[in-house]
């Protein structure tokens, strides 16, 4: 049976690994042509740094297990612990992938690489272990006080809200792209460079997300068809709501399913499919509203809208699990609304504090932003010395 579980986790790991191609193409299609090479390069580089950081440090902090042992011990139980680390690593690596979309087009690549190392080795596993491994007694206290621990089956807060709120800290410290906001109050539009690539990124993420959610069970005997159908319903609800609220804007349309999937992660194993549809639809509408408000009113230049998509929708999803997971609304129960509020607030706090510390220290030491000249030329030529296209009119 252990071999079956290992194969099950391998399939999940591969599906979530593929999602990083989705992150890459989503960013590739959103940024301007002069930053497309950089978008692809950041995601792959950050993933590899995440793999090293999580394998050697992050997994140990979260689960108290390290792999600096003999090969005989590593191969115990057919290497199940190693495969579990691989699977959870693909989740951890989503943190810098999320942040990458927010800070696109003006961040130094080396600074982001160092931030990735610190976030995946220290900040993310601290909260991951607290929620998914019961570290520090927080979950026990919530259960004793409110009848149930914080429920986050597949990471609405542990992964997505953490990434989104860390990204908000990074974006605020980094500042807006040059020319984005005019002195007279006007907002300069920076339209997506490629809707087809943006749509491709969205579709890759959608497909991989079923590994992200369903295979969070981590063992074959724990798999649930409810998780799969709830993910589908939330995806559909998020897509249609975002398309309606965004008035057929393809950017909103293709981010809508992602908003729904972010929100359903927490309660995908306990809510009714109708509840999942409602959660997804609310998340799609929330994304459109907060993206527009953030960009145009608050003038926070979050390029891909990762704070509203992952930060806000992730937090909403965890709280919604405390509502729609109740038996009175068709859920399976075993969830506390108060615990969901506290756990969500705790995740946001850890993300913001950790994000400001990591990016604040980097800003004070080596800097986190390209020079004005390099930003104008584009990260492709300034950092990688190559353009994504032969066409010289990239601006």
């Amino acid at each position: 049976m252990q071999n079956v579980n290992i194969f099950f986790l391998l399939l999940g790991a591969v599906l979530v690994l593929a999602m990083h191609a989705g992150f890459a193409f989503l960013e590739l299609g959103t940024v301007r042509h002069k930053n497309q090479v950089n978008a692809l390069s950041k995601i792959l580089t950050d993933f590899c740094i995440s793999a090293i950081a999580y394998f050697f440090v992050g997994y140990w902090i979260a689960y108290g297990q390290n792999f600096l042992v003999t090969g005989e011990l590593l191969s115990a139980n057919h290497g199940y612990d190693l495969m579990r680390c691989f699977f959870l690593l693909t989740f951890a690596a989503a943190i810098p992938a999320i942040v990458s979309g927010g800070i696109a087009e003006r961040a130094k690549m080396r600074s982001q690489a160092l931030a990735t190392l610190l976030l995946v080795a220290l900040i993310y596993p601290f909260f991951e272990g607290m929620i998914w491994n019961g570290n520090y007694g927080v979950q026990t206290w919530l259960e004793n006080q409110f009848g149930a621990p914080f429920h986050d089956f597949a990471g609405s807060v542990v992964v997505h809200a953490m990434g989104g709120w860390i990204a908000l800290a990074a974006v605020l410290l980094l500042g807006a792209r040059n020319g984005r906001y005019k002195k007279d109050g006007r907002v300069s539009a920076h339209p997506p460079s490629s809707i087809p690539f943006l749509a491709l990124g969205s579709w890759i993420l959608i497909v991989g997300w079923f590994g992200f959610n369903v295979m969070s069970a981590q063992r074959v005997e724990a798999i649930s068809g409810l998780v799969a159908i709830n993910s589908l319903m939330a995806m559909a609800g998020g897509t249609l709501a975002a398309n309606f609220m965004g008035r057929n804007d393809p950017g909103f349309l293709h981010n809508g399913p992602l908003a729904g999937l972010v929100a359903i992660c927490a309660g995908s194993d306990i809510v009714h499919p109708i509840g999942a549809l409602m959660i997804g639809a609310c998340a799609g509408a929330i994304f459109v509203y907060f993206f527009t408000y953030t960009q145009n009113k608050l003038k926070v230049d979050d390029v891909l809208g990762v704070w509203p998509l992952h930060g806000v929708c992730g937090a909403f999803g965890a709280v919604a699990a405390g509502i729609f997971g109740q038996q009175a609304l068709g859920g399976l129960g075993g969830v506390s609304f108060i615990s969901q509020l506290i756990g969500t607030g705790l995740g946001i706090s850890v993300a913001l504090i950790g994000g400001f510390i990591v990016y604040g220290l980097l800003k004070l030491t080596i800097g986190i932003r390209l020079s004005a000249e390099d930003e104008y030329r584009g990260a492709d030529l300034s950092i990688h010395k190559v353009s994504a296209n032969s066409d010289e009119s990239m601006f």
Side-chain angles (χ1 to χ4, degrees), residues 236-272:
T239 303
L240 297 176
N243 192 43
F244 176 78
M245 292 289 292
R247 300 179 181 180
N248 298 316
D249 183 299
F252 289 135
L253 169 64
H254 289 98
N255 275 284
L258 310 184
L261 286 163
V262 164
I264 199 57
C265 285
S268 56
D269 62 328
I270 59 171
V271 305
H272 191 278

Side-chain angles (χ1 to χ4, degrees), residues 97-319:
I98 291 168
V99 174
S100 176
I103 64 175
E105 300 203 295
R106 76 275 201 201
K108 288 183 176 180
M109 190 165 175
R110 289 184 180 178
S111 298
Q112 175 58 14
L114 286 173
T116 295
L117 182 67
L118 295 171
L119 292 171
V120 177
L122 303 174
I123 306 301
Y124 169 75
F126 169 76
F127 187 69
E128 176 192 17
M130 184 187 300
I131 302 305
W132 284 347
N133 197 47
N135 296 353
Y136 317 114
V138 174
Q139 290 285 50
T140 300
W141 180 81
L142 288 172
E143 185 172 9
N144 290 337
Q145 293 295 316
F146 307 108
F150 176 62
H151 187 91
D152 191 0
F153 179 71
S156 284
V157 171
V158 174
V159 179
H160 296 287
M162 279 287 289
W165 288 87
I166 289 172
L168 178 63
V171 167
L172 291 175
L173 288 170
L174 197 62
R177 289 168 288 179
N178 290 326
R180 177 71 168 129
Y181 301 111
K182 307 296 184 181
K183 292 182 179 180
D184 60 5
R186 291 183 296 120
V187 179
S188 176
H190 290 345
S193 59
S194 173
I195 295 298
F197 278 143
L198 189 159
L200 175 62
S202 176
W203 270 109
I204 294 173
L205 285 166
I206 289 169
V207 173
W209 222 297
F210 287 87
F212 195 99
N213 283 4
V214 176
M215 293 177 176
S216 283
Q218 298 188 30
R219 292 183 181 273
V220 172
E221 61 266 25
I223 194 170
S224 170
L226 181 65
V227 177
I229 200 66
N230 280 345
S231 300
L232 180 65
M233 290 295 102
M235 183 273 286
T239 303
L240 297 176
N243 192 43
F244 176 78
M245 292 289 292
R247 300 179 181 180
N248 298 316
D249 183 299
F252 289 135
L253 169 64
H254 289 98
N255 275 284
L258 310 184
L261 286 163
V262 164
I264 199 57
C265 285
S268 56
D269 62 328
I270 59 171
V271 305
H272 191 278
I274 296 175
L277 181 63
M278 295 177 67
I279 289 172
C282 290
I286 287 170
F287 169 71
V288 174
Y289 173 80
F290 275 91
F291 180 88
T292 305
Y293 186 77
T294 301
Q295 299 284 333
N296 298 331
K297 300 296 183 182
L298 298 181
K299 291 183 170 55
V300 175
D301 193 13
D302 177 354
V303 180
L304 268 67
V306 297
W307 175 68
L309 181 63
H310 297 273
V312 178
C313 290
F316 163 74
V319 174

Side-chain angles (χ1 to χ4, degrees), residues 36-98:
Q36 289 184 322
V37 171
N38 184 244
L40 295 172
S41 301
K42 279 190 302 177
I43 299 298
L44 180 56
T45 301
D46 286 345
F47 184 88
C48 293
I49 292 172
S50 297
I52 294 170
Y54 194 75
F55 180 82
F56 285 105
V57 181
Y59 191 80
W60 171 69
I61 289 177
Y63 300 100
Q65 181 179 11
N66 71 74
F67 299 111
L68 301 179
V69 296
T70 66
E72 183 179 357
L73 291 174
L74 285 176
S75 61
N77 295 320
H78 301 280
Y80 176 81
D81 292 327
L82 291 171
M83 185 56 67
R84 183 169 183 258
C85 177
F86 178 20
F87 177 67
L88 292 172
L89 153 66
T90 60
F91 283 58
I95 300 296
I98 291 168

Side-chain angles (χ1 to χ4, degrees), residues 312-393:
V312 178
C313 290
F316 163 74
V319 174
I323 300 173
F324 291 95
Q326 303 294 337
Q327 290 182 334
L329 293 176
L332 298 182
V335 64
S336 164
F337 178 70
I338 301 300
S339 292
Q340 295 305 108
L341 284 177
I342 294 174
T344 300
L346 187 59
I348 291 171
S349 299
V350 172
L352 280 176
I353 293 170
F356 275 115
I357 289 175
V358 168
Y359 285 96
L361 287 174
L362 289 172
K363 183 175 182 178
L364 289 173
T365 52
I366 63 174
I368 58 176
R369 181 164 184 152
L370 294 173
S371 67
E373 180 181 354
D374 284 345
E375 184 181 340
Y376 176 76
R377 294 176 68 227
D380 291 359
L381 293 179
S382 298
I383 297 175
H384 307 284
K385 315 302 181 188
V386 67
S387 166
N389 306 285
S390 59
D391 183 3
E392 294 295 328
S393 58

